[in-house]
Amino acid sequence: MIEQHIILEGIDVVSFYGANNTHLTMLKKLYPKLRIVARDNIIKAIGDEEELERFHNVVNRLMDHCSRYNSIDEEAIIDAVNGKKSDKGSDSNVIVYNVNGKPIYPRSENQCRLVEEFSKNDMIFAVGPAGTGKTYTAIALAVRALKNREIRKIILSRPAVEAGEKLGFLPGDMRDKIDPYLQPLYDALEDMIHGAKLKEYMDMNVIQIAPLAFMRGRTLNDAIVILDEAQNTTPQQIKMFLTRMGNNTKMVITGDLTQVDLPQNQGSGLTQALHILKDVKGISFIELNKKDIVRHKLVTRIVNAYEDYEQKLKETNKK
């Protein structure tokens, strides 16, 4: 009799074992000759060498499946045991799968362009109005790269600028103070990575979320770095951020030039960067518009209404 330990890496063990360990129970029934015990992310199996090898191969297939689709089911287990590849239909456009196993894919022409340019260039500027999926698509691309082990970490940042209101003193330690500014980034990550796994990634600094001020002095290697709400950076801040780029690193800079929350006498660093870098080789520029809005249909109407109002205001001021 041989004892073998299998470590479940890069996946959420709760999803792998199933609710009330239903998936694990099924595996035990499919391999009655083995004694299988699971604790945390380690599966211990005892039996003869040939049966253990078959079981190990099945677990590896299921780990790959769980990593890709964020879940497994009875059909996936049977396919793994029979040596078949799981067929979820054509998924050539899918970036990743969310925590419920549903596909996340580009939903507009310019989102598709963002995905394509991400594979071609190491720095991408994605600029457009609210609801166009700039940040969400960028984070999905980063999660895919992490799952595929193309990078070692994801770094997400945004300037800590209040949107037109003073929040005053915030209690708690540094993380408690900056978390309100970074919540939209957490929301996207929680949609794509199970809570326990996300916490593990963050505890190990595989995924880092930090305000822009924390980027100074760093060299960012083997990472995908996303700067969100870049319209609220100063020219000095965005220059500092862009020059943090290290080896095997991609940067995605997202922003909405219609929602600048800086003081009126302070120019946006994003506006300046778009002008200065427009002819630099290796940088892509994606301009999203109202047609790319994928939130509630009212968001498109709201954007249109504000554009009409601002246009009328400009015409009135000219007179």
Side-chain angles (χ1 to χ4, degrees):
M1 302 290 281
I2 299 172
E3 181 175 312
Q4 187 177 70
H5 290 192
I6 305 172
I7 300 175
L8 304 178
E9 293 183 302
I11 61 170
D12 179 68
V13 293
V14 175
S15 300
F16 188 90
Y17 294 144
N20 299 317
N21 288 330
T22 52
H23 301 154
L24 185 64
T25 301
M26 185 175 179
L27 284 170
K28 289 179 179 180
K29 290 179 179 178
L30 290 168
Y31 289 90
K33 296 179 182 179
L34 297 179
R35 182 168 173 247
I36 301 168
V37 178
R39 182 166 184 171
D40 296 327
N41 69 328
I42 299 175
I43 297 176
K44 182 173 73 173
I46 301 173
D48 65 70
E49 185 175 358
E50 192 173 324
E51 191 76 350
L52 281 174
E53 185 177 356
R54 283 196 288 267
F55 177 71
H56 198 164
N57 289 336
V58 166
V59 172
N60 283 338
R61 291 190 200 109
L62 289 173
M63 279 197 288
D64 289 341
H65 186 282
C66 195
S67 176
R68 179 170 177 77
Y69 301 109
N70 268 328
S71 65
I72 60 175
D73 53 24
E74 290 187 4
E75 184 180 354
I77 294 172
I78 296 299
D79 286 343
V81 171
N82 293 330
K84 290 172 58 181
K85 284 189 176 182
S86 294
D87 182 16
K88 281 206 169 191
S90 176
D91 60 357
S92 59
N93 292 325
V94 174
I95 304 173
V96 291
Y97 289 81
N98 71 9
V99 293
N100 296 316
K102 294 181 179 179
I104 296 172
Y105 52 86
R107 296 171 60 188
S108 72
E109 182 180 347
N110 285 315
Q111 284 186 16
C112 288
R113 280 193 62 219
L114 174 55
V115 174
E116 290 170 6
E117 293 301 317
F118 182 84
S119 64
K120 296 177 184 177
N121 293 294
D122 291 337
M123 185 176 290
I124 299 99
F125 284 81
V127 180
T132 51
K134 306 178 297 292
T135 303
Y136 193 83
T137 303
I139 291 177
L141 289 166
V143 170
R144 181 181 69 181
L146 183 65
K147 285 176 174 285
N148 293 340
R149 300 180 182 177
E150 297 166 10
I151 54 166
R152 291 192 297 109
K153 56 193 172 188
I154 297 172
I155 301 170
L156 308 175
S157 184
R158 49 162 34 195
V161 176
E162 295 161 350
E165 57 182 320
K166 299 297 182 184
L167 298 179
F169 174 77
L170 294 173
D173 58 20
M174 181 59 70
R175 182 164 180 173
D176 293 330
K177 294 176 191 296
I178 64 175
D179 271 1
Y181 298 103
L182 306 174
Q183 191 57 49
L185 304 179
Y186 288 111
D187 291 343
L189 286 169
E190 287 169 353
D191 196 31
M192 302 175 202
I193 303 174
H194 286 281
K197 193 64 190 177
L198 178 58
K199 184 178 185 304
E200 179 187 332
Y201 278 147
M202 297 188 73
D203 289 343
M204 296 173 62
N205 284 326
V206 173
I207 294 179
Q208 303 170 27
I209 303 180
L212 183 58
F214 285 25
M215 295 294 107
R216 186 172 295 280
R218 299 183 67 182
T219 300
L220 308 173
N221 295 314
D222 297 311
I224 288 177
V225 189
I226 298 172
L227 174 61
D228 190 33
E229 300 288 350
Q231 77 275 3
N232 288 328
T233 61
T234 65
Q236 295 80 10
Q237 285 176 326
I238 200 165
K239 180 183 176 183
M240 176 274 293
F241 174 82
L242 297 177
T243 54
R244 301 304 94 203
M245 194 172 191
N247 296 320
N248 190 36
T249 290
K250 287 179 180 282
M251 282 187 167
V252 183
I253 300 92
T254 69
D256 177 3
L257 293 172
T258 67
Q259 297 194 53
V260 179
D261 299 312
L262 295 167
Q264 288 187 353
N265 61 346
Q266 177 67 68
S268 169
L270 177 60
T271 302
Q272 187 187 80
L274 292 172
H275 175 70
I276 293 173
L277 304 175
K278 62 182 179 181
D279 296 321
V280 176
K281 186 178 179 181
I283 301 179
S284 292
F285 299 90
I286 311 296
E287 188 172 342
L288 298 101
N289 54 53
K290 294 177 289 184
K291 294 180 180 178
D292 300 299
I293 293 176
V294 293
R295 289 183 186 162
H296 195 286
K297 59 186 178 182
L298 273 177
V299 175
T300 303
R301 296 174 191 169
I302 291 168
V303 170
N304 286 334
Y306 270 92
E307 284 185 357
D308 291 343
Y309 170 77
E310 288 165 5
Q311 184 61 37
K312 290 176 183 176
L313 197 62
K314 286 179 183 178
E315 292 172 358
T316 302
N317 291 336
K318 285 179 182 179
K319 296 176 183 177

